[in-house]
Amino acid sequence: MDRWKGRDALLLFRSYLTEKGILSQMAEAEMEARAQGEIDDAVRFAESAPYPEIPEASRPIYVEDIRHG
Amino acid sequence: MAEITLIEGVRQAMDEELARDDRVFIVGEDVGKRGGVFRATMGLIDKYGPQRVIDSPLAELSIVGIGIGAALYGMRPICEIQFADFIHPAFNQIVNEAAKMCYRSAGAWTVPLVIRAPYGGGIGGGLYHSQSVEAFFAHVPGLKVVIPSNPYDAKGLLKSAVRDPNPVLFFEPKKGYRLIKGEVPEGEELLVPIGPARVSRPGRDLSVFAYGMMHQYALQAAEAVAAEGIDVEVVDLRTLLPVDRQTLAASVHKTGKAPIVHEDNRTAGYGAEIADHSGRGGLHLPRGPGAAPDRSGCTSAPLQSPLAGLVHARRREDRRRHSRPGGVLRAFDATQTGPPGKLTPKVKSWLQASRLTPSPLSAARQASTWWGLAEWG
């Protein structure tokens, strides 16, 4: 398990980019913050959203069952 | 009008839909340069190019998965599974993804996908080139399951399937690909609606429900017994899901008895659903005075290889019940083991036995004939 952890492609690619000077610490921190922000926003939105009003009976199984309006 | 084979009906349907709608494309093994192992896609890559007739790797999961993804984003894929026996690796994609997408997204995401595959036996295919898989998929809400029995329906139903916004499984009886020929109009759009069954031969004495290759044999058998005064109604199911219960009910209501003929395994095969529904839903009707309605207790006769429909009565009750007129529902094995004509004598004797008489002795003989047939395969 540890051997494979050491071969994690994401981590290897990250060290490759850092070594080659393509990825700076600042850029990486900024990307992570942006991604985390998106996730936090999405979680906030989902958790504060009301439960859907769709009654079970009207959930469409076939496309022709979709009731519009 | 032109007389074409069933496979040509399939090919023409795809040709016309590719021409009509840019979103339509075909993906599958050997569909492109080879033109399909059954020549279902012959000439299409030359007409429409490799972007629209795509040779896939040997990976059914991907063929269907790619189809689902493309359909979600507005394309109209036709996925070919080279033999229905190979659909199993794609089962999760079909059942968990394609079938449920509309329901789980409350209609926001839909999968207008066709998956077509040759199915059924009779060409020496063995274990992995002869399977009938319709029962697996007829069990899944969200799918449609369509099986044509002739070139006209093959063409018309496949065109409808391409235009249907739901995932449609289209199984083609491979034995009939070149064996079954029929008239198809030229120069006009041919669309057969998905859903309705078709009474292909009206009759009075009993109804035979069938689909695919077995529908052809049912018609032959009906002709054979007509000379002896037995008037058989034959119904071609065509769409297995959603099933046209109205047409089936009307037919059984008229005749009082309805065998179901298919070439799949009997136990839990598609015939079991029709037979059970018919019994449970009270479609079976007694004929004649003093007859008790059928209680559909059912025993499955031992599973034979090849595959069989469900037989729907108890042996003892059969003999007792048929001491007075009454109807009974049957589904039985009709696997082809030789040239088409071979089926007919067996079905013929069964059909003759089905004409119930009040005599206990002949009823017992009739019952044993039924069971004999149930064990035949």
Side-chain angles (χ1 to χ4, degrees), chain B residues 31-83:
Chain B
V31 298
K33 287 172 71 172
R34 178 98 191 264
V37 290
F38 290 101
R39 303 289 180 263
T41 50
M42 199 67 182
L44 297 182
I45 194 171
D46 298 323
K47 266 178 106 168
Y48 302 102
Q51 301 277 348
R52 301 189 65 204
V53 186
I54 303 170
D55 279 317
S56 73
L58 206 169
E60 283 73 18
L61 192 161
S62 302
I63 294 169
V64 173
I66 283 164
I68 293 171
L72 286 171
Y73 281 87
M75 304 291 284
R76 295 262 162 170
I78 303 172
C79 298
E80 178 180 297
I81 301 294
Q82 197 161 90
F83 286 85

Side-chain angles (χ1 to χ4, degrees), chain B residues 295-340:
Chain B
R295 305 262 178 260
S296 52
C298 78
T299 322
S300 197
L303 185 69
Q304 300 290 327
S305 83
L307 327 159
L310 177 71
V311 176
H312 205 81
R314 266 170 243 157
R315 204 182 282 251
R316 214 164 14 110
E317 255 181 26
D318 256 344
R319 292 198 186 107
R320 186 171 41 81
R321 195 186 313 126
H322 296 104
S323 61
R324 44 174 196 259
V328 81
L329 233 49
R330 288 278 184 276
F332 67 97
D333 174 14
T335 301
Q336 178 60 10
T337 54

